[in-house]
């Protein structure tokens, strides 16, 4: 009886955590050379805590990997490096800038979003190190294309994703077999929501880059978004610069990532805001995701996270 009571007392976060830890251990057991994608963003911070719970007191059975666009916020890169050093884990960084120099990435203009270009650099890193699985922090609630993902998402020898050629995952049984050149993208927090992530951050006392919390910065209003004023995103002719209290729901390429108006400066306050919002974080904050409903699915088919 006591066992039944203890199981019934578990919170939904306990169940999500247990599932994610099981998935991480499955990766470690079944895949020869995995890597964990770590950008310094909130979802990858949660992945690090889950990896700690899955494998400590030993080291992680995989390195951390970040594909750096070169357009990241300085605060996020500094946090990334500090957190990896604090954990004592190997951090591999591969840069879109290097792909540009090699000619494998060609941009139409210097300051355009490099989000899509990350796919090329990631595939180059997978080939360089022979990774057969990359663990990422994507969640199904983010947008429609990611809702189609399996937890173990099969990618062919060209690194491409076909949503119609994915493997069934009945009863949490995962098929991890891949031929040379093929790989898996694994998403342990697929079933989490943005609210779950913030509740877990609050429960675990996880540190995040300061951009996630309310701060005052110059912005302009553009297409219903608050665009941060930076050297990469200067105001356009006729736009008025305002200084507003904002926070970032997601941190990515500066050229396409926007904050939202907010006074929330703690996880508890963000939880209250998140509980009542009806706009997804990508829909509210990403300029490049607003251009087409199919944009993310197209990028994923080409090798994006």
């Amino acid at each position: 009886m006591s066992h039944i009571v203890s199981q019934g007392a578990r919170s939904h976060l306990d169940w999500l955590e247990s599932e994610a830890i099981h998935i991480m251990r499955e990766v470690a057991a079944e895949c020869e050379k995995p890597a964990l994608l770590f950008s310094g963003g909130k979802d990858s911070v949660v992945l690090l805590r889950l990896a700690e719970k899955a494998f400590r007191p030993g080291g992680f059975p995989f390195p951390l990997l970040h594909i750096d666009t070169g357009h990241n916020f300085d605060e996020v890169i500094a946090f990334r490096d500090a957190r990896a050093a604090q954990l004592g884990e190997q951090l591999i960084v591969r840069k879109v800038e290097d792909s540009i120099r090699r000619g494998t990435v060609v941009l139409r203009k210097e300051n355009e979003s490099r989000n899509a270009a990350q796919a090329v650099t990631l595939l180059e890193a997978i080939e360089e190190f022979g990774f057969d699985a990359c663990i990422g922090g994507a969640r199904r609630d983010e947008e429609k294309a990611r809702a189609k993902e399996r937890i173990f998402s099969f990618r062919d020898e060209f690194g491409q994703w076909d949503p119609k050629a994915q493997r069934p995952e009945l009863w949490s049984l995962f098929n991890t077999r891949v031929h040379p050149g093929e790989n898996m993208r694994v998403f342990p927090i697929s079933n989490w929501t943005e609210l779950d992530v913030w509740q877990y951050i609050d429960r675990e006392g996880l540190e995040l880059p300061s951009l996630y919390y309310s701060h005052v910065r110059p912005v302009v209003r553009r297409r219903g978004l608050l665009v941060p004023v930076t050297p990469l995103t200067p105001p356009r002719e006729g736009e008025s610069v305002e200084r507003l209290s904002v926070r970032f729901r997601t941190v990515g390429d500066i050229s396409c990532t926007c904050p939202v108006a907010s006074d929330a400066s703690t996880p508890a306050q963000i939880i209250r805001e998140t509980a009542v919002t009806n706009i997804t974080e990508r829909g509210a904050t990403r300029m490049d995701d607003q251009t087409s409903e199919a944009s993310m699915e197209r990028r994923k088919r080409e090798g994006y996270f």
Side-chain angles (χ1 to χ4, degrees), residues 179-237:
H179 295 295
E182 300 172 343
N183 65 87
M184 290 283 182
R185 307 289 167 79
V186 185
F187 305 113
I189 61 172
S190 287
N191 293 325
W192 298 43
T193 65
E194 184 185 9
L195 182 60
D196 294 328
V197 167
W198 276 106
Q199 289 175 329
Y200 194 74
I201 289 168
D202 187 35
R203 189 185 83 173
E204 298 292 313
L206 301 180
E207 293 184 13
L208 293 176
S210 59
L211 294 176
Y212 279 110
Y213 299 108
S214 176
H215 59 285
V216 175
R217 73 165 52 231
V219 299
V220 296
R221 299 179 188 271
R222 186 181 303 163
R223 296 191 327 212
L225 298 172
L226 298 178
V227 179
V229 175
T230 73
L232 287 172
T233 53
R236 297 173 180 173
E237 185 177 354

Side-chain angles (χ1 to χ4, degrees), residues 81-198:
D81 294 343
R83 186 69 180 118
Q86 182 183 43
L87 289 170
E89 298 294 343
Q90 180 188 9
L91 172 65
I92 298 169
V93 178
R94 287 298 177 265
K95 299 180 178 182
V96 172
E97 292 279 1
D98 292 332
S99 298
I100 293 171
R101 281 194 287 271
R102 285 191 291 268
T104 52
V105 167
V106 179
L107 302 177
R108 292 170 298 177
K109 53 185 180 180
E110 183 179 354
N111 289 344
E112 72 175 286
S113 170
R114 297 182 178 184
N115 266 357
Q118 290 179 89
V120 174
T121 310
L122 173 62
L123 294 177
E124 290 172 344
I126 288 172
E127 182 177 6
E128 177 185 355
F129 293 98
F131 294 132
D132 59 349
C134 290
I135 305 167
R139 307 186 320 269
R140 288 175 177 146
D141 75 320
E142 291 182 80
E143 46 75 48
K144 293 178 180 179
R146 283 184 165 158
K148 298 178 181 179
E149 283 279 17
R150 298 289 196 269
I151 291 174
F152 279 75
S153 178
F154 173 75
R155 306 299 174 103
D156 65 19
E157 65 271 25
F158 301 105
Q160 296 185 331
W161 173 69
D162 182 353
K164 296 180 179 179
Q166 296 302 306
R167 300 164 177 181
E169 295 182 338
L170 304 177
W171 305 292
S172 297
L173 296 175
F174 305 114
N175 182 347
T176 63
R177 296 189 186 92
V178 293
H179 295 295
E182 300 172 343
N183 65 87
M184 290 283 182
R185 307 289 167 79
V186 185
F187 305 113
I189 61 172
S190 287
N191 293 325
W192 298 43
T193 65
E194 184 185 9
L195 182 60
D196 294 328
V197 167
W198 276 106

